[in-house]
Amino acid sequence: MALDADALARCVKRIAYEIHERHSAAERLALIGIIRRGANLAERIATILNQTGRPLVEVGTLDISSYRDDDKSTPGDPRLLGRNIPFSLDDRNVVLVDDVLYTGRTVRAALAALADLGRPRSIELAALVDRGRRELPIRADYVGKNIAAPEGQRVYVKLSEVDGVDAVVIGETKPEAF
Amino acid sequence: MPRLAKSDLVSIEDLPLSDIERIFELADSFSQAIERGETRRIAEGLIMATLFYEPSTRTRLSFESAMHRLGGTVISSPDMHTSSAAKGESLADTVRVVSAYADIIVLRHPSDGAAQVAAEYASVSVINAGDGSREHPTQTLCDLYVLRRKKGHLKGLTVAICGDLKFGRTVHSLIYALARFGANIVTAPFSGMELPDYVLDRIAAERNYRFSTVSLEELKSDQGSFDALYLTPNAPHQMALFTDANPLQDVPAARAPASLDAFYLTRLQRERLAGSNATPCNYAPFDARALRSSRTHRAVVMHPLPRTDEVAYELDSDPRAVYFEQAAAGVPVRMALIAWLLENRSRPAKRGNTSSIPFRGGTAPRCANPSCITRREGAYLRPRFRFAPTTNREHLALRCDFCERNLRVDYVGHTTSRRYYHFDESLHGYVRQWVEDGTLAVFDSVKEAEERGYEPYRRGPQREIMNSEEIAAACQAIAAQITADVVDPTMLAIVGVVSRGALLALRLRELVGRQTGVRPPCAAIDVYGQTALQPLDDTASFDVDGRLIILVDDVINSGWTVQRAMTLLWQQGRPAGVKLAVLIDRGHRALPIRPNYIGKSIPTSRTDRVQVRIAADEGGKPGERVLLYSLLESPKTAENPA
């Protein structure tokens, strides 16, 4: 286990405070979570931000999933499956939230989807875990924890909304409780 | 003389209200004739060609049925994608050829504005049967016709439009038409599928419409239930558009309209979403419960069909469900349209483009709409814009003549003085003058203006931050890092952003090639122009799949250029990875992008410009340098800045 429930909560809180510090209350802020654990994290960050007395932060989601094309030997790239962003992104400061930042391919697809929707003023990236080994020139603005896991291993973020427990686990295969 | 003079129906806006009424009168008589089993062979000897670049059952069959019922004949190609279009024939060529075979062309096409192109190139009448997400005027005629038959009139109705309002072309045509009849429109979109801003802007500026949001709570407490909203349970609000005779008056937040005349439901346009199995939100199907309240019990329920699961099947037997009548109206309305074309034998073609802004070569902007026909058939179509009526004078808004989408312009230039300006309110007068003189240029960004050889109107003193030796040393250092990082040099490719990024890419290619012993392929990517990769120098075209791409640009600032370049790369395939090399990182990132290789990092202020001056060769020339200067404000005085 890389993070227990307390440590995970502290990471989320720290990310929220860093976002709050970097964006004054006058700025129009929106959080976009990547489904599904990124969306849950975005909700948690929004809850903390909304306790700071700043105007309510709006939250939307992008559904970006990897798919594999069986006809080709190369793996497919993550792509947009759907979105739920019931507000305009024009001139807004957007924070994209994901659970694990790894190759950067999901983030690239998310940036393309957001650029397609409007003209945001800026897009920042928050990730609970950055496990390095990027394949694209993507970096996170807010990182909960850097975990250098070897290539064959996987990093699982478990959240109580989905998994019944808050934890970050490094494992070879899918854990039982997952 | 041909029996049918050229007269096109591209947009519902082409038809004056009196003509719409006339078409409806004709439709009434044809509808009776069909019921009585009479035939009206007024189109005998005429040939209609149906060109469908997208699948459609209803529209195509109803057009063909209408033509046959009028005694005319129909020719068609089963699927345009398997015929001429697959061979790469342009739309313009196809319609010119088909003009010799038919008297009327009915066109459906996936690109916005395709019908406008067809109308301009065909020598016979063109009827738009749906072009991309732009318009579908004959469907709108059917919708209006049924609405008029059910409500007795079209003036000042209140219509709730629900579902996919973003891509639904039937919806956009319908909203423009309803706005001309002074309707109140309540929109209840699926979340994420809101009416695009350009539709709102257009009816605000042209029809004097005002927008208010109506909260869910307010509607609920106001009149019991407003069940249309359960179509969008995720949406915090819905937007209502009300006609407003006096826009200056400050009106409180809108109340829900007292009663609704119609619900217009639409299907989610899955084929226009990025993913094939997108589900933007969960929604319950529309059923009779929505029609129970006092404000909705007289409303009719419309749907352009096909439905997926927006409308409950139980509603089909309800007399207020009129969607099958809508479909049935397709034939008499389209018969009426053909008859109207015959009546208008001597009508001059009225869609002139005299108001288009004359742009000299290379100074016209590109349409921002990725689905615009000018982006697909750019080989022969010159982008064409006119001024868009706008409510906000701080921006310059142009409207694409083809797809009717507005383009917000931030930078303008004067072609004679070769100066560019950040647009602000004080420049409106000059811009009008430059349009008259044919000297207006518009740019997407400062980068584009400078790419095209324009200088800022005014700038502060410049300072050299790199000389030719430093540039050469930086390229050497970047090439050495790339060589050290790369595992398999045979899978490397170097792609430069036009134009200075491409020059640097060529240099890096030679340096890396010398160090690794394998000269990687090299290409240019033009974020303002073509979408394909342009191989450079002696590179044959190559596949990006599985390659490690070194993306090269001269200066990184916000990161939007890099983001766009990556989007273009991903349209080509799936690279094994992308690493970003820049000569200068000047900060001010607006995106989570970080270069892997940086020649030099320089702290700058937002109003600074960094200009890289390099030549198209091996480099090391004494004149090469990187300059930094600050941009000054646009002129506020009356003096002509040009």
Side-chain angles (χ1 to χ4, degrees):
Chain A
M1 183 178 294
L3 287 178
D4 61 12
D6 283 348
L8 191 148
R10 278 197 303 276
C11 285
V12 172
K13 204 175 214 171
R14 186 161 44 76
I15 290 173
Y17 285 151
E18 281 177 21
I19 293 172
H20 180 60
E21 272 173 27
R22 216 179 287 183
H23 297 279
S24 75
E27 282 182 40
R28 299 179 64 221
L29 201 57
L31 302 183
I32 306 289
I34 294 176
I35 283 178
R36 81 199 250 206
R37 288 171 185 79
N40 295 324
L41 288 169
E43 289 292 347
R44 292 189 188 189
I45 294 168
T47 307
I48 300 170
L49 284 171
N50 287 340
Q51 287 162 359
T52 60
R54 61 185 298 141
L56 283 189
V57 173
E58 286 190 280
V59 183
T61 59
L62 285 175
D63 188 355
I64 291 170
S65 300
S66 302
Y67 72 100
R68 272 171 200 278
D69 196 342
D70 291 335
D71 299 335
K72 286 186 185 172
S73 54
T74 51
D77 241 41
R79 63 173 176 185
L80 182 68
L81 298 181
R83 58 191 162 215
N84 179 18
I85 302 178
F87 45 84
S88 165
L89 294 179
D90 289 346
D91 281 328
R92 238 178 232 268
N93 293 297
V94 174
V95 181
L96 192 63
V97 184
D98 203 359
D99 55 351
V100 180
L101 175 59
Y102 185 29
T103 61
R105 289 180 187 271
T106 303
V107 174
R108 187 212 63 84
L111 294 180
L114 294 177
D116 205 34
L117 274 180
R119 275 193 188 185
R121 184 180 298 257
S122 71
I123 303 173
E124 291 177 323
L125 175 62
L128 182 64
V129 175
D130 182 351
R131 60 168 296 191
R133 297 189 168 272
R134 212 81 74 241
E135 292 173 4
L136 307 182
I138 300 287
R139 57 133 178 84
D141 298 272
Y142 311 100
V143 176
K145 190 172 174 61
N146 288 297
I147 299 177
E151 199 158 359
Q153 293 197 320
R154 294 189 63 167
V155 175
Y156 298 97
V157 170
K158 300 208 251 177
L159 296 177
S160 57
E161 294 94 321
V162 186
D163 313 293
V165 60
D166 278 356
V168 176
V169 182
I170 301 172
E172 302 291 337
T173 51
K174 282 201 162 202
E176 278 307 302
F178 197 61
Chain B
M1 177 178 166
R3 284 179 58 200
L4 208 56
K6 182 167 167 63
S7 178
D8 306 305
L9 178 61
V10 171
S11 161
I12 193 74
E13 303 280 314
D14 292 350
L15 295 172
L17 295 186
S18 57
D19 284 8
I20 294 179
E21 286 294 345
R22 174 61 190 152
I23 289 169
F24 290 166
E25 281 168 26
L26 287 164
D28 282 338
S29 81
F30 286 128
S31 158
Q32 285 160 14
I34 293 171
E35 268 170 40
R36 288 198 292 263
E38 296 168 12
T39 43
R40 306 265 174 90
R41 305 186 65 81
I42 56 171
E44 200 143 36
L46 290 180
I47 298 173
M48 168 187 282
T50 53
L51 302 183
F52 277 56
Y53 289 83
E54 259 188 346
S56 155
T57 321
R58 270 148 295 267
T59 307
R60 183 187 197 131
L61 288 181
S62 62
F63 263 112
E64 297 187 352
S65 166
M67 194 62 183
H68 285 302
R69 282 194 189 280
L70 291 174
T73 48
V74 180
I75 54 172
S76 68
S77 160
D79 179 4
M80 292 306 292
H81 277 301
T82 61
S83 58
S84 54
K87 293 177 201 145
E89 187 177 45
S90 72
L91 177 62
D93 286 358
T94 304
V95 298
R96 272 188 288 209
V97 168
V98 174
S99 291
Y101 307 159
D103 305 286
I104 304 172
I105 292 174
V106 175
L107 177 85
R108 165 161 300 186
H109 198 280
S111 293
D112 300 359
Q116 177 65 31
V117 173
E120 289 178 18
Y121 284 87
S123 54
V124 298
S125 299
V126 171
I127 299 175
N128 181 3
D131 57 343
S133 57
R134 192 190 153 206
E135 281 203 53
H136 191 353
T138 61
Q139 176 70 51
T140 305
L141 283 174
C142 296
D143 296 342
L144 293 174
Y145 179 65
V146 170
L147 205 50
R148 168 181 166 274
R149 205 156 68 183
K150 292 290 150 192
K151 295 289 157 187
H153 64 95
L154 285 171
K155 302 256 187 256
L157 296 176
T158 300
V159 181
I161 302 184
C162 318
D164 172 5
L165 310 190
K166 184 171 178 156
F167 297 106
R169 58 187 158 209
T170 54
V171 161
H172 301 168
S173 281
L174 182 64
I175 285 172
Y176 297 144
L178 284 171
R180 287 164 72 197
F181 286 102
N184 296 315
I185 303 162
V186 179
T187 70
F190 295 145
S191 96
M193 295 283 123
E194 288 78 11
L195 206 55
D197 286 345
Y198 64 88
V199 177
L200 295 176
D201 278 354
R202 185 162 153 183
I203 67 167
E206 290 172 10
R207 306 273 166 220
N208 206 11
Y209 268 57
R210 179 169 53 87
F211 318 120
S212 318
T213 53
V214 188
S215 78
L216 182 82
E217 285 69 25
E218 188 187 353
L219 277 168
K220 275 197 169 148
S221 61
D222 197 86
Q223 272 279 339
S225 67
F226 185 88
D227 285 329
L229 281 165
Y230 71 67
L231 284 169
T232 55
N234 294 336
H237 63 256
Q238 63 165 356
M239 188 175 277
L241 325 177
F242 292 101
T243 51
D244 184 13
N246 184 2
L248 297 174
Q249 207 178 339
D250 199 40
V251 190
R255 256 167 224 280
S259 75
L260 282 162
D261 295 299
F263 283 98
Y264 190 96
L265 311 171
T266 61
R267 171 179 74 96
L268 182 62
Q269 303 249 318
R270 286 179 204 281
E271 64 273 22
R272 287 186 211 291
L273 283 176
S276 55
N277 49 352
T279 40
C281 63
N282 298 317
Y283 51 90
F286 189 92
D287 62 24
R289 276 181 299 165
L291 300 174
R292 269 193 217 141
S293 81
S294 61
R295 91 164 20 144
T296 59
H297 76 277
R298 273 193 301 271
V300 294
V301 179
M302 303 175 75
H303 191 295
L305 302 180
R307 62 177 150 183
T308 40
D309 41 11
E310 310 82 33
V311 191
Y313 282 91
E314 301 91 85
L315 201 65
D316 294 357
S317 55
D318 191 303
R320 292 166 294 187
V322 300
Y323 29 87
F324 290 112
E325 274 184 67
Q326 261 172 287
V331 174
V333 166
R334 288 181 174 102
M335 287 169 81
L337 182 62
I338 297 162
W340 172 84
L341 287 174
L342 280 161
E343 278 181 1
N344 281 286
R345 232 164 269 196
S346 58
R347 230 161 70 102
K350 89 190 141 44
R351 286 182 74 84
N353 293 298
T354 48
S355 57
S356 293
I357 298 168
F359 283 110
R360 290 206 188 125
T363 57
R366 201 165 65 124
C367 184
N369 170 12
S371 313
C372 180
I373 187 75
T374 58
R375 301 275 288 260
R376 177 191 284 242
E377 309 229 337
Y380 63 96
L381 282 178
R382 300 287 294 272
R384 213 167 61 205
F385 295 87
R386 57 188 189 277
F387 286 115
T390 173
T391 43
N392 183 352
R393 276 183 56 86
E394 279 170 41
H395 301 301
L396 180 64
L398 303 182
R399 180 170 299 160
C400 174
D401 269 356
F402 297 99
C403 72
E404 297 285 317
R405 198 72 65 85
N406 278 8
L407 175 75
R408 192 179 110 179
V409 174
D410 286 325
Y411 297 93
V412 296
H414 185 248
T415 55
T416 323
S417 65
R418 307 298 280 182
R419 301 276 173 196
Y420 70 86
Y421 310 81
H422 187 274
F423 187 84
D424 63 31
E425 221 175 330
S426 68
L427 283 171
H428 270 286
Y430 299 122
V431 165
R432 298 268 167 188
Q433 184 60 47
W434 298 344
V435 166
E436 271 183 34
D437 304 341
T439 53
L440 176 71
V442 309
F443 309 108
D444 201 37
S445 62
V446 166
K447 188 179 173 86
E448 191 194 3
E450 298 197 347
E451 281 296 328
R452 301 205 187 284
Y454 284 72
E455 294 282 327
Y457 164 64
R458 278 203 299 170
R459 61 177 174 198
Q462 58 191 33
R463 169 162 77 85
E464 186 178 283
I465 49 181
M466 271 179 125
N467 61 27
S468 61
E469 280 153 31
E470 287 167 315
I471 294 172
C475 287
Q476 280 285 0
I478 290 172
Q481 289 175 55
I482 294 172
T483 307
D485 287 352
V486 68
V487 179
D488 180 3
T490 59
M491 289 311 284
L492 201 62
I494 302 196
V495 174
V497 176
V498 165
S499 60
R500 287 177 190 85
L503 296 178
L504 290 168
L506 282 169
R507 291 182 190 189
L508 289 177
R509 173 211 204 182
E510 297 306 329
L511 293 168
V512 170
R514 246 173 262 156
Q515 289 169 10
T516 62
V518 186
R519 241 167 120 242
C522 188
I525 199 160
D526 186 355
V527 296
Y528 301 113
Q530 52 199 130
T531 51
L533 283 182
Q534 190 72 43
L536 289 177
D537 229 8
D538 55 351
T539 299
S541 69
F542 60 92
D543 199 355
V544 304
D545 274 342
R547 293 239 179 220
L548 175 64
I549 308 273
I550 308 290
L551 186 64
V552 186
D553 204 359
D554 57 346
V555 181
I556 185 167
N557 179 13
S558 65
W560 283 112
T561 304
V562 173
Q563 189 273 326
R564 264 191 255 177
M566 281 205 285
T567 300
L568 295 179
L569 272 178
W570 258 256
Q571 286 169 6
Q572 305 292 312
R574 185 190 189 276
V578 171
K579 288 183 186 283
L580 177 62
V582 297
L583 186 62
I584 305 282
D585 181 354
R586 58 162 292 199
H588 305 291
R589 206 80 74 248
L591 292 177
I593 287 175
R594 178 168 54 199
N596 302 81
Y597 310 109
I598 298 169
K600 188 171 189 173
S601 292
I602 299 165
T604 60
S605 102
R606 266 178 205 285
T607 53
D608 283 346
R609 262 307 286 167
V610 174
Q611 202 175 51
V612 174
R613 295 193 177 168
I614 50 173
D617 56 27
E618 285 261 321
K621 296 275 157 56
E624 302 202 325
R625 55 211 168 129
V626 179
L627 299 171
L628 180 121
Y629 52 81
S630 59
L631 296 174
L632 301 176
E633 288 277 290
S634 290
K636 301 287 181 202
T637 57
E639 132 208 45
N640 187 334

